[in-house]
Amino acid sequence: MSNPFSINGGAVVAMVGKDCVAIACDLRLGMQALTVSNDFPKIFNYGDVYLGLTGLATDVTTVSEMFRYKVNMYRLREERDIEPETMANLVSSSLYEKRFGPYFVSPVIAGINPHSQKPFVCGFDSIGCIDFAKDFIVSGTASDQLFGTCESLWEPDMEPEDLFETISQAMLNSVDRDALSGWGAHVYVITKDKVVKRLLKGRQD
Amino acid sequence: MSLSSVEPLSFDPAYSFEASQSRDHSGAPRQHSFNPYTDNGGTILGITGDDFVVLAGDTRHTAGYNINSRTERKVYRLGDNNLILATVGFGADSKDVAETMTRAVNDFKFNHNLKNMTVNAAAQYLFTVLYGNRFFPKYTHCILAGLDKDGKGRLYSYDSVGSYSKEGERRAAAGAASSLIVPFLDNQVEFKNQYLPASNGTQERPVEDLPKETVIKLVKDAFTSATERHIEVGDGLQIITVTKDGVFEEMTELKKD
């Protein structure tokens, strides 16, 4: 296992609901089969935008800090918060800058556009190709499992409570079948006037 | 999806013979190789109820990115009794195992005064067949199902060299999209990660036998989802149900793209 994407393990999923979005991540940090930490969240907040990062943990930290810098500079120049769609293009171009020596991360964005109130999710490969999705985005070592659970459990126009239950069940049941992910999860449910963050205990093995 | 997680299926599309290209007479050693296996894709799935059992499989047969057939069934009825077998992996090996089992079940009947082989006996026999090829394995994953002496649904799943659980299983999936289907089954058949609403997350939802209609719905959901996200799954869905009234086959459509 010398694949940099699967050394540390981890899973992220984002889903669209009716006037709401949700994003969830697991908490494990490992070195191959050895678990090093059970408190390593993979979702980062930049104003109205939430960014999930899976892949090589050192790059997860580096990239999240790089976007903290870039989004702060954007806020100072523009005197406003960055919008999810703008963030998507920032992430894309930043990753493509490193086309021939990429960061080993698979980012996911979730947010509600503060002007149009439209829910927005998208995902990327490690060199910045954007995957715009109407339904859900998955990433990480449990992506196969997440594709299966999300494709079966997700339905259009869910209210925030149903969206929370759906994304949580998709996440928990997926990471329970992946040895490199798990140890609890964070779930953010984002609506236009509030964000609810919940900690899921999940299996601790 | 990350670049690296898109691990290409090995697109050596088939079993092959290989010799080094150049015909040099330098006396340098030449390496020849023979690959006797290929993966023909597809997925199978089985769920038991109290007095019935369901086995299902898609009908797509692939070699790399090619589709060889859209109508190749992989769930077999073994003789004219209550036993059914689903096989997935290398198509040729899968068929051979199914034929061997069919022959064994029929021979048993004629050698034992027209008595049918029981499902647990067939399960043990399938182990013998697979383990008999321990050092040149049949590249196939099997799920065997039927009704036992008490009329209860039974399901056994095997790896390619025959290991299986004698207690049987409530549900099993194998093949290309098993990693997509298994966590869904954990959740919807064994109620994993579900808790009783009043218990504040302290009491797990008890596992119960599902009615046949629910099981069929779950099977169809699992396969339509797998078809959506896995290129080796699709075209048609074969569902075989065993009840005390007999063996029934249902064929439905899956997406063909």
Side-chain angles (χ1 to χ4, degrees):
Chain A
M1 274 287 205
S2 57
N3 179 356
F5 287 93
S6 53
I7 293 170
N8 303 117
V12 165
V13 56
M15 280 184 183
V16 176
K18 186 167 187 282
D19 306 319
C20 57
V21 288
I23 183 167
C25 68
D26 75 325
L27 297 179
R28 183 180 180 270
L29 169 70
M31 288 169 64
Q32 305 195 114
L34 174 70
T35 300
V36 175
S37 166
N38 45 270
D39 189 17
F40 188 80
K42 296 158 190 75
I43 295 171
F44 306 91
N45 169 238
Y46 305 98
D48 297 324
V49 187
Y50 288 78
L51 175 68
L53 293 166
T54 61
L56 192 68
T58 183
D59 284 352
V60 168
T61 309
T62 305
V63 168
S64 70
E65 289 296 320
M66 179 182 76
F67 284 120
R68 190 166 75 96
Y69 170 76
K70 287 193 175 191
V71 169
N72 281 340
M73 291 304 287
Y74 180 96
R75 198 183 284 123
L76 288 168
R77 265 199 306 272
E78 302 271 328
E79 299 185 333
R80 63 188 172 91
D81 280 344
I82 197 166
E83 294 173 23
E85 290 84 349
T86 319
M87 181 73 182
N89 287 292
L90 177 66
V91 170
S92 177
S93 52
S94 302
L95 290 175
Y96 198 77
E97 265 183 13
K98 298 274 185 288
R99 170 63 179 81
F100 297 110
Y103 292 115
F104 298 114
V105 291
S106 316
V108 174
I109 281 178
I112 291 182
N113 187 293
H115 300 294
S116 66
Q117 312 285 0
K118 278 233 176 71
F120 178 83
V121 298
C122 71
F124 309 82
D125 66 10
S126 56
I127 52 172
C129 177
I130 311 183
D131 172 6
F132 295 106
K134 293 191 184 91
D135 43 11
F136 54 82
I137 291 285
V138 305
S139 96
T141 51
S143 62
D144 279 15
Q145 289 87 339
L146 281 165
F147 271 127
T149 52
C150 292
E151 193 65 58
S152 324
L153 299 179
W154 185 88
E155 44 190 87
D157 295 324
M158 285 185 283
E159 298 296 331
E161 304 77 47
D162 291 340
L163 189 66
F164 166 71
E165 191 62 33
T166 306
I167 198 171
S168 300
Q169 290 293 333
M171 178 53 116
L172 289 174
N173 289 288
S174 294
V175 299
D176 286 353
R177 283 287 176 178
D178 177 26
L180 302 181
S181 310
W183 285 84
H186 282 177
V187 182
Y188 293 78
V189 181
I190 304 156
T191 46
K192 72 177 194 312
D193 42 33
K194 85 173 172 210
V195 178
V196 181
K197 177 187 175 185
R198 292 185 179 90
L199 166 68
L200 303 181
K201 196 126 195 331
R203 284 177 70 112
Q204 302 290 314
D205 62 0
Chain B
M1 201 171 189
S2 66
L3 284 179
S4 65
S5 68
V6 188
E7 281 192 21
L9 323 149
S10 155
F11 287 106
D12 214 351
Y15 38 76
S16 55
F17 294 93
E18 242 171 63
S20 60
Q21 293 296 105
S22 60
R23 293 187 62 218
D24 62 293
H25 301 277
S26 64
R30 289 208 299 164
Q31 190 169 100
H32 299 265
S33 68
F34 167 56
N35 176 210
Y37 298 122
T38 188
D39 185 351
N40 296 116
T43 285
I44 52 172
L45 156 59
I47 304 177
T48 53
D50 182 36
D51 57 353
F52 68 92
V53 60
V54 175
L55 270 190
D58 68 320
T59 60
R60 178 173 290 185
H61 188 280
T62 65
Y65 288 131
N66 300 312
I67 296 172
N68 296 328
S69 170
R70 298 187 192 278
T71 54
E72 186 72 18
R73 297 172 190 212
K74 43 184 157 280
V75 191
Y76 305 91
R77 193 172 172 192
L78 305 178
D80 60 349
N81 55 14
N82 280 332
L83 296 172
I84 46 175
L85 173 71
T87 56
V88 69
F90 177 28
D93 280 355
S94 300
K95 264 208 166 129
D96 185 62
V97 169
E99 273 179 32
T100 305
M101 283 305 290
T102 307
R103 200 180 316 120
V105 166
N106 285 331
D107 286 355
F108 182 97
K109 188 168 194 154
F110 299 131
N111 288 327
H112 293 81
N113 197 213
L114 298 182
K115 179 184 174 311
N116 281 324
M117 194 188 261
T118 58
V119 67
N120 56 308
Q124 185 62 22
Y125 189 81
L126 180 52
F127 158 77
T128 314
V129 169
L130 293 168
Y131 197 81
N133 295 289
R134 171 63 179 80
F135 297 108
F136 187 5
K138 297 292 178 198
Y139 187 68
T140 181
H141 290 246
C142 297
I143 301 178
L144 177 77
L147 298 182
D148 68 8
K149 283 185 191 124
D150 308 322
K152 286 179 77 72
R154 286 222 158 254
L155 188 81
Y156 302 91
S157 83
Y158 297 79
D159 70 3
S160 49
V161 284
S163 68
Y164 79 109
S165 157
K166 284 192 179 183
E167 288 83 61
E169 276 142 80
R170 186 176 288 273
R171 85 270 132 69
S178 61
S179 58
L180 284 75
I181 291 177
V182 164
F184 173 65
L185 260 32
D186 286 345
N187 190 220
Q188 297 296 314
V189 179
E190 303 214 315
F191 304 146
K192 288 276 161 64
N193 288 111
Q194 289 195 247
Y195 293 87
L196 294 178
S199 75
N200 196 220
T202 57
Q203 261 187 290
E204 288 179 8
R205 180 177 170 191
V207 181
E208 60 195 71
D209 284 319
L210 298 167
K212 200 167 71 195
E213 296 68 34
T214 312
V215 168
I216 300 283
K217 270 187 190 161
L218 287 176
V219 168
K220 288 179 178 172
D221 273 1
F223 273 96
T224 41
S225 296
T227 300
E228 202 67 41
R229 295 287 177 172
H230 201 112
I231 57 167
E232 292 180 348
V233 181
D235 295 326
L237 175 59
Q238 181 196 188
I239 306 173
I240 296 193
T241 311
V242 186
T243 67
K244 65 173 169 23
D245 303 317
V247 181
F248 303 96
E249 182 182 59
E250 178 189 349
M251 298 294 302
T252 54
E253 297 280 293
L254 288 172
K255 281 169 73 170
K256 296 191 194 313
D257 59 357

